[in-house]
Amino acid sequence: MTRYAALLRGVNVGSTRLAMADLRRIVTDLGHEDVKTYLQSGNVAFGSSVRDAEKLAAGIERALADELALTVPVLVRSGRELAAVAGGNPYADREDDPTRLLVAFLATPPKKATVEALTVPGSENVSFTVTGREVFLHFVDGGYGRSKFTNAYLEKKLDVVSTTRNWKSVRALAEMTAD
């Protein structure tokens, strides 16, 4: 049994509403165990004997569409992957405020050319590091809420589906998926 977290993009922040009880039920009905949600923003940790994260994501996406008529991108990371993210933030030693540290989880690794072309819009003071399927973000002068360096911006510039979580959520999900 491997522990995973499914990260749903855009849930309960715009027009896409999803009760966490429904999400827990759907993931449980798919045959996964010890299903727990975190916050109201589409984070669900679970255990599964399935070893293919893409298959897990596709199953959750399909069930959400079939049962609730929701089209929601789902990204899945194993507990081991989340532990590596939580232990590998290049900005963690520079910032005490977890709301200024975020991670954008990407569905696939971006092309090298799109990463090399990625810049921070305007004169914002944001540091970023792209590592595999994650983008570590450090909002030096303020929070994510006022920035133009958003999830939508990253998706457009990197040409890949992403979903962003703050550092507190990343650490919590890493703990929830630890073996």
Side-chain angles (χ1 to χ4, degrees):
M1 185 74 50
T2 302
R3 299 284 304 158
Y4 294 96
L7 310 170
L8 284 65
R9 181 178 154 273
V11 169
N12 296 337
V13 292
S15 62
T16 303
R17 295 286 171 211
L18 174 62
M20 294 301 99
D22 288 336
L23 180 57
R24 285 190 300 274
R25 178 186 51 75
I26 284 171
V27 174
T28 300
D29 288 351
L30 289 169
H32 308 306
E33 300 178 8
D34 191 27
V35 177
K36 297 176 182 169
T37 53
Y38 177 72
L39 301 177
Q40 298 295 314
S41 55
N43 303 298
V44 59
F46 59 95
S48 181
S49 59
V50 175
R51 302 282 178 170
D52 183 335
E54 287 182 26
K55 185 176 179 182
L56 290 167
I60 295 168
E61 284 180 7
R62 190 171 40 258
L64 289 166
D66 291 348
E67 295 183 35
L68 301 175
L70 292 176
T71 302
V72 178
V74 177
L75 285 69
V76 173
R77 296 294 193 270
S78 69
R80 180 174 288 157
E81 290 171 318
L82 284 168
V85 170
N89 190 327
Y91 308 110
D93 62 342
R94 299 182 204 174
E95 183 62 64
D96 292 332
D97 183 350
T99 65
R100 293 178 184 230
L101 297 174
L102 293 93
V103 178
F105 294 90
L106 310 175
T108 59
K111 293 177 183 162
K112 184 177 179 182
T114 62
V115 172
E116 290 172 353
L118 184 63
T119 59
V120 177
S123 60
E124 292 186 46
N125 192 359
V126 179
S127 299
F128 68 92
T129 302
V130 181
T131 305
R133 294 184 302 155
E134 281 76 39
V135 181
F136 292 93
L137 304 165
H138 179 209
F139 291 84
V140 179
D141 293 332
Y144 180 72
R146 292 190 181 112
S147 177
K148 292 182 179 166
F149 200 67
T150 63
N151 193 72
Y153 179 83
L154 284 169
E155 283 188 329
K156 180 179 178 182
K157 295 297 184 180
L158 295 176
D159 193 30
V160 63
V161 171
S162 70
T163 187
T164 303
R165 299 297 187 271
N166 69 34
W167 193 238
K168 182 177 178 181
S169 293
V170 170
R171 289 188 316 212
L173 291 167
E175 288 176 20
M176 291 174 71
T177 58
D179 291 331

